[in-house]
Amino acid sequence: MRKQIRLIVGLWLAWTIVGLFYITQDSVPRLYRGQAVAWKYVFVGWMVGVYVCAVLTPAVLWLGNKWPVERRVTNAGYHLGFSVVFSILASTMEVPVLLLLGVFPASHQPTLVAGIKLFLSFGIQGGVIRYWAVIALQAVYRSQKNAKIREREAFELRVQASELAKQLATAQLGALKMQLQPHFLFNTLGAIMVLIQQEKAAQAGAMVAGLGDLLRLTLEDVEAQEIPLWREVEFLRLYLSIEQMRFEDRLQVRIALPPALSDVLVPHMVLQPIVENAVRHGLCESEEEVTIDVSATSADGSLALIVSDDGPGLLSPRPGHSGIGLTNTRARLARLYGDRARLDVEQARGRGVRVTITLPIRALQSEEGPCD
């Protein structure tokens, strides 16, 4: 109902403006030439004409919707005929109203038929122009409305595509992460089995207890892709405590975590597969004591996680290979950070391997900390 009222008011205002334009165009030249202007006849004559057009406009709009002029050439032909009919009808309706209002001078009062003939003789083209003006404005409005609809549909499609891409990335990240968890669990269970075979029950029991704590931490963050660095280091210390039970004095560990970087977000389990590689290819391939250093530094908005060992290194006659740990970690970094993250493996100075993971620094938004 409100829409219909707004349409009626809009048509009335639009045609009133058109009538005032005609009145101005008719009166100004006369005033400029010093001629008298019969305001009653000019004002009433033009306003009756445009308000008759306003009454007929809904029918014109219906015809415009029925045969959109911009879609087919034949529709333009239809509207050419409709415009002539519109002009004749408007003149036929206008003349009796003007006669009723006494617009014509008493000395030149025409009959109804004579008045219609008079109007059609000099005003038919005006009605045709008004009809086409309405049809043209309707076509412009329809074009803009359709453009907005297509723009909104395109935006909704982009949002849907973005959401699907996000869901796909999340699923892929989850799959990559789930590959790591059974990987280190199987290795740890294998180490426990070795201790049992060696009849080292106390060490095996301690390792099982440590594995339980490790599983608890893993399950607490099972759905998280990123966790604070302090949390990742806590997980790493627990994992290394199990490995130290296994290798006793042959494995030394040094972890240096600056307090200022404790809350920086890192991928969950990003350090464990790197350290596991250092144990497997650094310590297991050596008969000497091996030290694994884990440190974190920051510069220019980037965080560097460095894992190095002093084992045989890449020049070992039995070097390690990338395996699932490095491959999986590189894939996760690419998914999470794109080209803003990288993983570099290089021969350390002297002996061993140095692995550097570079990430953009992103801190926790909440006040969550190590003591929470």
Side-chain angles (χ1 to χ4, degrees):
M1 185 65 182
R2 289 183 177 179
K3 184 177 179 181
Q4 294 176 341
I5 294 175
R6 286 200 298 269
L7 177 61
I8 293 172
V9 173
L11 290 175
W12 179 80
L13 284 175
W15 282 109
T16 299
I17 293 172
V18 172
L20 293 175
F21 171 77
Y22 281 128
I23 292 170
T24 303
Q25 191 180 39
D26 190 3
S27 303
V28 170
R30 298 186 187 184
L31 293 174
Y32 181 76
R33 292 193 294 267
Q35 297 177 348
V37 177
W39 291 105
K40 175 186 174 183
Y41 303 115
V42 172
F43 186 84
V44 175
W46 282 115
M47 296 312 292
V48 168
V50 297
Y51 286 149
V52 167
C53 291
V55 171
L56 296 175
T57 297
V60 177
L61 296 176
W62 182 85
L63 292 172
N65 284 326
K66 184 71 174 178
W67 292 281
V69 69
E70 71 275 16
R71 293 186 184 176
R72 291 184 179 180
V73 178
T74 53
N75 289 351
Y78 295 155
H79 286 291
L80 184 60
F82 293 148
S83 65
V84 175
V85 174
F86 170 85
S87 184
I88 295 173
L89 185 59
S91 297
T92 304
M93 293 174 62
E94 185 177 353
V95 171
V97 177
L98 293 176
L99 289 173
L100 184 64
L101 294 176
V103 173
F104 295 100
S107 57
H108 299 83
Q109 185 82 354
T111 62
L112 176 62
V113 176
I116 293 174
K117 289 181 179 178
L118 176 65
F119 269 62
L120 291 178
S121 63
F122 68 85
I124 190 170
Q125 72 278 7
V128 172
I129 292 173
R130 291 170 200 168
Y131 178 93
W132 278 100
V134 174
I135 290 296
L137 290 174
Q138 184 189 33
V140 172
Y141 171 77
R142 188 163 46 226
S143 175
Q144 292 181 343
K145 184 178 179 181
N146 291 337
K148 289 182 179 179
I149 292 174
R150 288 193 294 271
E151 184 179 353
R152 185 172 64 251
E153 291 175 347
F155 174 76
E156 291 174 353
L157 287 175
R158 288 197 297 273
V159 171
Q160 291 176 1
S162 175
E163 187 65 26
L164 288 174
K166 183 179 178 181
Q167 292 177 1
L168 177 61
T170 301
Q172 291 173 335
L173 283 170
L176 291 170
K177 183 180 170 185
M178 292 305 293
Q179 289 178 9
L180 291 175
Q181 293 169 351
H183 189 62
F184 84 83
L185 286 177
F186 291 148
N187 289 342
T188 306
L189 288 173
I192 295 173
M193 182 61 69
V194 172
L195 291 176
I196 293 174
Q197 291 172 349
Q198 294 174 352
E199 298 182 352
K200 297 180 179 179
Q203 291 177 330
M207 191 175 288
V208 170
L211 180 60
D213 293 337
L214 195 62
L215 287 173
R216 177 181 56 80
L217 279 184
T218 303
L219 292 176
E220 287 178 358
D221 297 320
V222 67
E223 295 183 355
Q225 286 297 337
E226 290 181 303
I227 60 174
L229 181 55
W230 67 264
R231 181 81 171 174
E232 179 68 10
V233 171
E234 181 185 25
F235 176 82
L236 184 65
R237 289 184 193 278
L238 196 52
Y239 167 74
L240 283 170
S241 68
I242 295 174
E243 294 292 11
Q244 285 180 309
M245 292 180 205
R246 177 182 172 192
F247 294 100
E248 299 180 338
D249 294 337
R250 288 188 57 214
L251 175 61
Q252 302 298 321
V253 177
R254 291 194 296 254
I255 298 178
L257 172 62
L261 299 177
S262 294
D263 287 339
V264 173
L265 293 175
V266 299
H268 185 209
M269 296 184 68
V270 71
L271 289 174
Q272 186 275 333
I274 309 302
V275 172
E276 182 181 347
N277 272 353
V279 172
R280 291 181 61 192
H281 304 300
L283 180 61
C284 295
E285 302 294 340
S286 173
E287 297 179 355
E288 301 175 4
E289 178 181 307
V290 169
T291 299
I292 296 177
D293 286 288
V294 180
S295 61
T297 62
S298 65
D300 299 328
S302 295
L303 171 71
L305 301 174
I306 303 168
V307 178
S308 60
D309 65 79
D310 56 359
L314 299 176
L315 302 179
S316 167
R318 293 182 295 173
H321 54 82
S322 295
I324 190 173
L326 292 180
T327 303
N328 199 307
T329 301
R330 281 197 173 97
R332 292 183 69 205
L333 292 176
R335 287 291 182 190
L336 284 170
Y337 310 106
D339 57 4
R340 294 179 299 163
R342 67 177 188 274
L343 187 153
D344 300 312
V345 181
E346 59 185 343
Q347 176 70 35
R349 293 181 179 178
R351 287 171 53 83
V353 176
R354 176 188 171 99
V355 178
T356 304
I357 299 173
T358 306
L359 308 170
I361 288 183
R362 294 199 305 174
L364 279 174
Q365 298 298 318
S366 66
E367 296 180 353
E368 182 183 359
C371 296
D372 292 339

